[in-house]
Amino acid sequence: MSLLEKQIVDSVQSGTFLEVVHRIYRDNFDEKEMIGKEVAALHNAGKIDIIAEFRKLNSSDQQLDFFMIRHVLEKALPSIDAPVISVMDCVKHLTEEAGNDMAAGTLILPFIAFCEANSARPDEILSAALIDIDDTFDFITPAITAGSNLQLEQYANKAVELCSHENILIRSRAVHALGRIKYHDHEDLIIKFLQAIQTTLELDCDDYLYVAALRSIFALFKAESNQEYFAVTLTKNILQNPTDTILYEASQLFFFEAKILPVTLIDLLLQALISINHEHHGTIRNIDSGLCSLLQRGMQEKVTSFLEEILVQEKQEFSAKQFNGLTREFFENKERSLDILITRWLLSKQVSLGRAAAGLLEDSPDDGIAVTADLDQLQALPEGIRVFLARKACGWFFHKQISAASFIMSLIDTAPNDEIEEITEILFHPLLISYSGSVKDHLVKTVEEEPSEKVKLVINAVLERLNIYHESLESPIDELVPIQTQRETHLRYMSRLMAESYKAARKDSIFLSFTTTSHLLYGSRAVHCFENEFVGQKARQEIPMQEMSHSFEFPALEYLDPHSLDYKLRTFRIEGCDS
């Protein structure tokens, strides 16, 4: 007997099997496959009973790595010889102990392999599952899956027969099993299974059955794409009045299969997913990923139409920011996606889509990114549409000033002369006056890139007006200038407000609750001492002080005339809108 065998056998006798296996697995991680085989060999030789030992494993034991130890059983299970009932009990126990962990179901595939190792096991497990119906664990699906890998038609017929069972739970599990069978190009079986699902859906159904049916329908369609009409008909039936559970499953399928699904099934899923709850973030994340796949397939119109339909709903408040993966795709393909979408939404004359256009730019830098109007959408539109767009861009993108300015500038080349004056006025007031730093720099940079003569004339004109405006500000009215005492009083007041705000923030800070605070009175570096374990004495550490700062440009009109500015921006946003 080898040393490893002796350690394992002795551990069973001393009641420390799990602890020893944990230590062996951890110390021999590079040879973890060997450990499972060794344990299986000892079990088959009758020296230990690993099913009884692993049945003692609980996730609540903090001294053991639950999933690491369970992994040993996953490697051993396919090759062991043990009573089916005891194996079923152990598999159920360890799966339920894993809770909601993503790795909870990793024991099922080894269990199916265990069933396949003996042709009598699938039937024994299926019989046990039908006699003693377990409400919390599905043994029907792995039994039919394993049996079909051995005798396809026999277990396929059993699954079809169970689809009409009087117990709805058994019907659900049988329907789920239909999607797990490997058909090996048996089109006749696929048609038979789809018919069985159709018959089942005509009986009493619950969410679990509908979800199982959806999964199996899509699996069957992937195995035989010629049955598209059948799959569409069944899917349409399920999604007529979907619950949140069904919508989540639909979003899962959309997430995983959007790259390959035909347009008919995509349209069905998107039509149903319009009714999702805006608070169900998991469902939204799945839809977001699926929409990204559609965008990569060149289906931008479908993506845009779905977004528009979901964003204009009155009962629920969705924002474009919730679809952050899709937003990244738009930014990566700005000219082909972002510019087109922003132009389309500003032209829509809907406040909700204008707000959505602003939401697309929320994660851009503080001053925004350069965006341009999609001029192709402006063809054949009536006069004044460029002024309309300029006002919308200023109203919605005012706090992303570079985005607003660049969008407005892109309208000038194709604008009639009678519209340029009004567009120029919007560019100057309120944008350039409010952001005389960043917007001015952007305009100067645009001139350096040698734009058209039309654009250059507009930029030079607004920059000249800005110089005149600033010169007039340098000659203040003496009667309106606060005296020194008033300025000092105001500074003390603002300092006190900041101190109180800082103190309140520190009081509620999670980070400061588990750290210590040091107050620097003077000096150019911080010094502290710590115990150096290697030399056994205290060591001194000095940290040079470094400058750290962040700045952003606050719109000047928010100081000078906040009420008029707010009124103007609100007017820009809603004027001319139908809804």
Side-chain angles (χ1 to χ4, degrees), residues 342-539:
I342 284 177
T343 306
R344 173 169 169 158
W345 285 356
L346 294 183
L347 284 171
S348 69
K349 297 184 179 181
Q350 296 188 63
V351 173
S352 55
L353 291 182
R355 186 181 296 111
L360 288 174
L361 301 175
E362 278 190 17
D363 291 332
S364 63
D366 290 339
D367 53 2
I369 61 169
V371 292
T372 57
D374 177 32
L375 301 179
D376 291 339
Q377 297 183 51
L378 308 187
Q379 295 179 5
L381 292 179
E383 291 185 5
I385 195 64
R386 287 163 181 78
V387 172
F388 175 84
L389 278 178
R391 293 165 77 87
K392 292 298 172 197
C394 181
W396 287 113
F397 306 153
F398 181 76
H399 294 291
K400 297 290 184 182
Q401 60 270 27
I402 299 302
S403 301
S406 59
F407 189 92
I408 293 171
M409 293 297 299
S410 69
L411 298 168
I412 293 174
D413 268 333
T414 57
N417 291 332
D418 58 343
E419 293 184 30
I420 288 181
E421 183 177 349
E422 192 168 351
I423 293 175
T424 303
E425 182 61 29
I426 296 170
L427 185 63
F428 176 72
H429 187 285
L431 270 176
L432 189 55
I433 288 180
S434 294
Y435 301 102
S436 55
S438 56
V439 173
K440 178 182 177 181
D441 292 341
H442 178 72
L443 295 179
V444 171
K445 183 180 178 181
T446 302
V447 172
E448 293 173 352
E449 294 172 352
E450 298 184 358
S452 65
E453 193 63 30
K454 209 172 183 180
V455 172
K456 190 181 297 184
L457 287 173
V458 169
I459 292 177
N460 290 334
V462 294
L463 290 179
E464 180 62 27
R465 286 182 64 183
L466 182 66
N467 290 334
I468 296 172
Y469 173 77
H470 282 164
E471 288 174 2
S472 65
L473 289 179
E474 292 175 0
S475 302
I477 301 173
D478 292 339
E479 288 78 5
L480 298 180
V481 177
I483 62 175
Q484 182 68 24
T485 304
Q486 292 171 331
R487 290 199 293 269
E488 290 176 354
T489 302
H490 179 72
L491 286 175
R492 285 195 299 271
Y493 171 71
M494 293 303 297
S495 178
R496 188 175 71 253
L497 286 182
M498 288 295 293
E500 291 174 354
S501 174
Y502 181 68
K503 184 178 180 180
R506 288 174 59 85
K507 181 180 179 181
D508 299 330
S509 172
I510 298 176
F511 177 74
L512 290 177
S513 65
F514 55 84
T515 59
T516 57
T517 304
S518 298
H519 296 278
L520 302 177
L521 301 179
Y522 63 91
S524 60
R525 60 187 182 274
V527 180
H528 71 278
C529 297
F530 64 96
E531 291 288 344
N532 191 325
E533 297 179 357
F534 297 102
V535 297
Q537 60 185 19
K538 288 188 176 182

Side-chain angles (χ1 to χ4, degrees), residues 31-58:
E31 300 178 1
K32 56 186 178 182
E33 302 287 338
M34 172 270 296
I35 299 171
K37 293 178 181 178
E38 190 70 35
V39 169
L42 290 173
H43 172 88
N44 292 336
K47 297 179 180 179
I48 61 174
D49 183 354
I50 66 170
I51 298 302
E53 295 300 327
F54 277 103
R55 182 61 178 79
K56 302 173 184 176
L57 178 61
N58 296 298

Side-chain angles (χ1 to χ4, degrees), residues 150-323:
L150 300 173
Q151 297 171 311
L152 176 59
E153 292 195 14
Q154 177 184 340
Y155 281 89
N157 290 330
K158 287 186 177 183
V160 170
E161 182 181 343
L162 291 175
C163 285
S164 300
H165 198 279
E166 60 181 9
N167 188 307
I168 191 172
L169 184 59
I170 291 177
R171 293 207 308 271
S172 301
R173 291 171 178 176
V175 168
H176 183 247
L178 293 179
R180 302 294 301 273
I181 294 175
K182 298 176 183 177
Y183 303 98
H184 306 296
D185 299 325
H186 284 66
E187 185 176 357
D188 56 328
L189 280 180
I190 293 174
I191 295 173
K192 187 176 182 179
F193 291 162
L194 287 170
Q195 290 172 341
I197 294 174
Q198 184 179 37
T199 302
T200 301
L201 294 177
E202 293 172 355
L203 305 174
D204 292 336
C205 295
D206 58 9
D207 282 358
Y208 186 81
L209 179 51
Y210 278 132
V211 166
L214 263 181
R215 291 175 183 170
S216 293
I217 289 168
F218 277 73
L220 292 166
F221 170 73
K222 286 171 64 179
E224 183 50 67
S225 58
N226 291 334
Q227 301 303 317
E228 179 179 336
Y229 177 78
F230 213 154
V232 168
T233 303
L234 294 177
T235 303
K236 188 175 182 179
N237 183 17
I238 295 172
L239 297 179
Q240 281 182 346
N241 297 294
T243 62
D244 290 337
T245 303
I246 296 173
L247 287 176
Y248 178 75
E249 182 60 31
S251 73
Q252 285 273 78
L253 293 169
F254 182 57
F255 170 29
F256 288 111
E257 312 295 352
K259 293 181 180 179
I260 61 173
L261 286 179
V263 174
T264 50
L265 284 172
I266 287 174
D267 287 342
L268 271 180
L269 291 175
L270 290 178
Q271 183 180 355
L273 292 171
I274 286 293
S275 59
I276 61 169
N277 190 316
H278 71 283
E279 296 179 348
H280 294 174
H281 304 297
T283 305
I284 293 174
R285 282 195 296 271
N286 290 335
I287 297 173
D288 182 33
S289 299
L291 291 174
C292 291
S293 298
L294 293 190
L295 202 62
Q296 292 166 4
R297 288 178 65 179
M299 298 183 178
Q300 180 161 339
E301 181 58 33
K302 288 193 179 297
V303 173
T304 303
S305 298
F306 177 83
L307 270 183
E308 290 174 351
E309 194 169 348
I310 204 169
L311 291 172
V312 299
Q313 295 182 83
E314 295 181 0
K315 295 181 180 180
Q316 301 196 72
E317 295 183 0
F318 282 93
S319 69
K321 191 175 181 180
Q322 288 177 279
F323 301 90

